Amino acid sequence: MEYIKQRLSAIYRESDTVKIWPELKGKLVEAKETPYKERKQRWDEKDIVLITYSDQFQEEGQPTLATFEKVFDRYLADKFEIVHLLPFYPYSSDDGFSVVDYKKVNPIAGDWEDVDKLSKKTRIMFDYVCNHISAKSDWFTEYKKGNPEYSGFFTEMDPNVDLSSVTRPRSTPVLTRFKMEDGSEKHIWTTFSEDQIDLNFKNPKVLLRMIDILLFYIEQGAEYIRLDAVGFMWKEVGGTCIHLEKTHQIIKLFRDIVEEVAKGTVIITETNVPHKDNISYFGNGSDEAHMVYQFPLPPLVLYSINRGNGSALTEWAKNLQPAGENTTFFNFLASHDGIGLNPIRGIISEEEILDLVTDLKREGAKVNYKKNPDGTESPYEINVTYLDALNKLSDNDELRVKRFLTAHSILLSLQGVPAVYIQSILGSRNDYEGAVKTGMNRSINRQKYSLDKIETELEKSGSLRSRIYGELTDIIQIRKAEALFHPDVPMEILEKGEKVFALKRGNDPQKSLINIHNIANEPVDYKISGSFINIITGEEMAFDGSITLSPYQFLWLKAI
């Protein structure tokens, strides 16, 4: 374990390392002796992730995890190999991301036995909310009481210090004023909200406590661990306080620990930032995150279909460097958050981003803004279901289905592990009532359902929800059965004009797969020759020069 001690020395002074190493080593020795569920080593084409809340489906008198298990068994188990359960711990705000107690299950969801039951049927991703904790937590309550055990757990700051260069993901202030039990006042660092108190990782005791949480999650069956808002963990006054070297070292330490204790556990970093910064969390390809979220993908696919022009998507995708032998991309289109815009700044002009925002607001989307260092505000994310983002209010359901499936074909075709949000698989529309009820724009894409209602709607033949569920899950199952979709199989982007997004998986012409997408609302000619099988329909197809693609048509063509 000496290499873990060396990693610790890259974070703290030698005196601090010497002080905390015996305790950390003891935790690791104990963890290694704990019997864990056997973990899959690496990933393959079958690995498709479902993103969901633990209370997504509800029935009276039942813990929501038990109800989710019913829906999963009936509708989802053969489609998804991994379930990302968004924070299922007790919380005070932000639909789970303001954790009150890291080691408890929200009573509405059930208990650890319910989590264990689900983990016996599928692999589970836990959220590790490592940057901040709830202002209602025992940790912060004891800190305000002056309990010395929690001294230095949070970042205190003189409100007169210039923090204008600090990267702001929200329009709220960096510091929040809190009254201590002794009557004094302190200003505490709160990156996201006054209810989400940043942990102070400069204090080695904080790191030890959070490693204890990490090991606990592994013990409870987490096979994928998502590091939420991880880019903000380390603070240095006078800079941006994001992506700092000590932050990277802490993530590398987390990877060292999971590799030592439960090899096969996957670390995923959630950093909703421009692409260059995002992929820095791969480290050197073997010492930091196993996967990083592909954050430019959701806004780029949306922009391309909205404009009927895939030039920006093609240019971006062709310049993607392979993730590396021991890493891969975590691809997605929709999640519990909005569609982030920061990741495409520098790929698409600011004028075009603002035009897209204006168009989507006109069609019913909500928008969240961030504060810039000069005091101005810029759109940070679009809040909308992905189905409604792709379509106009006046569109018919036939067009909605076509656009939606084309977008998800792109998602499922790209190199990496794809993830599908529960609202997408359900074909959900904007939940305006939910947004009004909570006062949060993000609630527009977080609707919860009674078990009776969702089963009735999914079984209603010909409905928009039923069609999207059926047709999307069909192509998911086809994707899982095709070895050329393995994340390690090479990808080549084919430049075939602005109205087409096309790519090839595999280097061998006799063992390759061409995925073609017409992203425009008009027929497009595509030049192609040879004999193929369309693996979606099973139809053999021969081309001698070109094919005409109907609006939003896509083909998965395997060479024969």
Side-chain angles (χ1 to χ4, degrees):
M1 293 187 196
E2 189 63 26
Y3 71 104
I4 294 180
K5 183 179 180 182
Q6 291 174 1
R7 184 76 70 194
L8 205 60
S9 297
I11 303 169
Y12 298 114
R13 296 174 303 181
E14 186 63 26
S15 58
D16 288 329
T17 298
V18 169
K19 187 181 298 184
I20 67 172
W21 174 241
E23 183 176 349
L24 176 55
K25 184 178 180 180
K27 289 178 183 291
L28 298 180
V29 169
E30 182 181 351
K32 287 188 70 172
E33 294 173 351
T34 302
Y36 297 125
K37 176 184 176 184
E38 186 176 349
R39 282 153 166 75
K40 180 176 181 177
Q41 302 301 307
R42 291 178 57 76
W43 37 77
D44 58 33
E45 67 279 1
K46 295 179 177 62
D47 291 329
I48 300 180
V49 180
L50 175 70
I51 305 168
T52 185
Y53 283 99
S54 61
D55 63 346
Q56 186 61 57
F57 306 112
Q58 304 172 0
E59 57 181 329
E60 189 172 352
Q62 293 294 317
T64 57
L65 276 170
T67 304
F68 173 80
E69 189 178 344
K70 292 179 184 178
V71 177
F72 183 75
D73 288 345
R74 183 168 181 182
Y75 297 101
L76 303 166
D78 59 339
K79 285 84 175 176
F80 296 96
E81 298 292 313
I82 303 140
V83 173
H84 172 196
L85 285 179
L86 291 157
F88 50 85
Y89 327 112
Y91 68 94
S92 54
S93 63
D94 199 18
D95 280 346
F97 286 92
S98 186
V99 179
V100 171
D101 191 324
Y102 290 112
K103 288 191 173 183
K104 290 183 179 178
V105 175
N106 190 343
I108 191 176
D111 54 29
W112 286 112
E113 185 177 340
D114 293 297
V115 176
D116 182 62
K117 284 177 64 180
L118 186 61
S119 72
K120 286 179 167 60
K121 296 184 175 184
T122 185
R123 291 140 68 205
I124 299 181
M125 182 194 299
F126 282 23
D127 261 293
Y128 180 40
V129 188
C130 51
N131 177 71
H132 49 264
I133 194 170
S134 169
K136 312 300 189 300
S137 65
D138 286 346
W139 292 14
F140 194 61
T141 299
E142 291 301 310
Y143 164 80
K144 288 193 295 181
K145 287 180 179 178
N147 184 337
E149 183 180 345
Y150 294 90
S151 175
F153 262 50
F154 309 99
T155 302
E156 304 169 8
M157 190 65 56
D158 183 338
N160 296 313
V161 171
D162 182 8
L163 299 177
S164 60
S165 60
V166 173
T167 298
R168 302 298 301 123
R170 301 286 186 272
S171 58
T172 53
V174 178
L175 304 178
T176 300
R177 184 176 60 185
F178 289 95
K179 191 169 185 177
M180 303 296 110
E181 194 167 280
D182 64 5
S184 64
E185 290 185 343
K186 292 183 179 179
H187 289 79
I188 310 297
W189 202 293
T190 52
T191 295
F192 291 93
S193 78
E194 63 182 15
D195 189 46
Q196 293 166 298
I197 317 299
D198 286 47
L199 295 163
N200 178 21
F201 281 90
K202 288 185 175 180
N203 181 348
K205 292 182 180 179
V206 170
L207 181 68
L208 283 176
R209 290 289 288 269
M210 294 307 290
I211 289 173
D212 181 62
I213 302 299
L214 178 64
L215 295 173
F216 176 76
Y217 288 168
I218 294 172
E219 182 180 352
Q220 297 303 319
E223 296 188 54
Y224 279 45
I225 296 175
R226 174 185 181 271
L227 308 185
D228 176 64
V230 71
F232 296 94
M233 281 201 302
W234 198 272
K235 281 80 174 170
E236 294 289 353
V237 173
T240 61
C241 295
I242 188 171
H243 314 314
L244 299 185
E245 176 57 28
K246 294 293 182 73
T247 291
H248 285 284
Q249 291 295 336
I250 292 173
I251 299 167
K252 290 177 181 183
L253 175 65
F254 290 162
R255 175 158 175 167
D256 289 342
I257 288 170
V258 301
E259 298 269 334
E260 179 73 23
V261 170
K263 192 170 179 60
T265 304
V266 175
I267 294 289
I268 304 177
T269 51
E270 186 266 337
T271 50
N272 192 351
V273 294
H275 184 68
K276 182 179 179 182
D277 295 321
N278 189 35
I279 62 174
S280 71
Y281 288 87
F282 278 139
N284 67 16
S286 62
D287 70 345
E288 202 163 339
H290 297 90
M291 298 183 190
V292 300
Y293 274 73
Q294 191 66 282
F295 274 107
L297 188 61
L300 270 177
V301 171
L302 170 59
Y303 171 82
S304 300
I305 293 178
N306 181 278
R307 295 296 189 255
N309 186 327
S311 300
L313 178 61
T314 295
E315 185 66 20
W316 168 78
K318 79 175 186 180
N319 288 312
L320 280 179
Q321 297 299 312
E325 184 179 348
N326 299 303
T327 56
T328 195
F329 290 109
F330 188 81
N331 297 323
F332 74 110
L333 292 181
S335 74
H336 62 289
D337 286 340
I339 300 169
L341 297 172
N342 283 351
I344 56 170
R345 288 191 156 98
I347 299 174
I348 295 172
S349 72
E350 192 66 20
E351 181 181 4
E352 290 174 295
I353 291 174
L354 294 176
D355 285 345
L356 178 65
V357 169
T358 298
D359 289 349
L360 290 172
K361 286 176 69 175
R362 188 182 300 118
E363 297 296 334
K366 306 290 186 182
V367 179
N368 280 337
Y369 292 83
K370 68 180 182 73
K371 183 163 288 185
N372 301 317
D374 62 2
T376 62
E377 290 188 335
S378 299
Y380 168 75
E381 67 177 12
I382 303 167
N383 303 110
V384 60
T385 66
Y386 212 79
L387 176 61
D388 280 336
L390 290 168
N391 294 285
K392 299 181 184 298
L393 294 171
S394 59
D395 287 336
N396 58 46
D397 284 353
E398 192 67 31
L399 199 53
R400 288 190 174 95
V401 172
K402 285 182 178 179
R403 287 197 182 112
F404 194 71
L405 291 176
T406 299
H408 282 80
S409 172
I410 294 172
L411 167 68
L412 295 169
S413 299
L414 291 170
Q415 191 174 25
V417 171
V420 182
Y421 185 38
I422 188 70
Q423 303 294 351
S424 294
I425 210 76
L426 297 176
S428 298
R429 306 291 302 276
N430 288 337
D431 181 18
Y432 294 109
E433 184 178 333
V436 170
K437 183 177 179 181
T438 65
M440 294 195 311
N441 287 345
R442 285 179 168 179
S443 296
I444 201 171
N445 191 28
R446 297 179 177 180
Q447 188 172 3
K448 311 296 171 62
Y449 299 96
S450 70
L451 179 62
D452 290 344
K453 178 179 179 181
I454 200 63
E455 288 192 328
T456 298
E457 292 184 1
L458 286 173
E459 299 294 340
K460 186 178 180 181
S461 179
S463 69
L464 179 62
R465 194 185 294 282
S466 176
R467 283 191 62 189
I468 284 178
Y469 163 78
E471 295 184 43
L472 180 52
T473 54
D474 281 349
I475 63 173
I476 284 173
Q477 288 179 306
I478 292 165
R479 197 259 190 205
K480 288 176 63 178
E482 178 49 65
L484 286 167
F485 283 124
H486 191 294
D488 293 348
V489 171
M491 175 180 75
E492 177 188 355
I493 301 300
L494 308 175
E495 298 185 70
K496 297 291 184 177
E498 64 181 28
K499 299 186 186 308
V500 172
F501 179 73
L503 59 91
K504 183 173 76 171
R505 299 297 301 273
N507 287 332
D508 186 343
Q510 302 305 313
K511 294 180 181 179
S512 62
L513 184 67
I514 297 176
N515 295 53
I516 310 165
H517 307 85
N518 178 4
I519 59 171
N521 194 16
E522 60 183 78
V524 173
D525 291 332
Y526 182 90
K527 293 181 180 180
I528 185 171
S529 296
S531 297
F532 304 88
I533 183 167
N534 182 348
I535 65 171
I536 294 177
T537 64
E539 175 188 6
E540 290 191 13
M541 308 179 77
F543 307 110
D544 185 19
S546 70
I547 182 176
T548 299
L549 301 169
S550 60
Y552 305 114
Q553 183 180 3
F554 59 91
L555 299 171
W556 292 0
L557 302 176
K558 189 174 184 178
I560 55 175

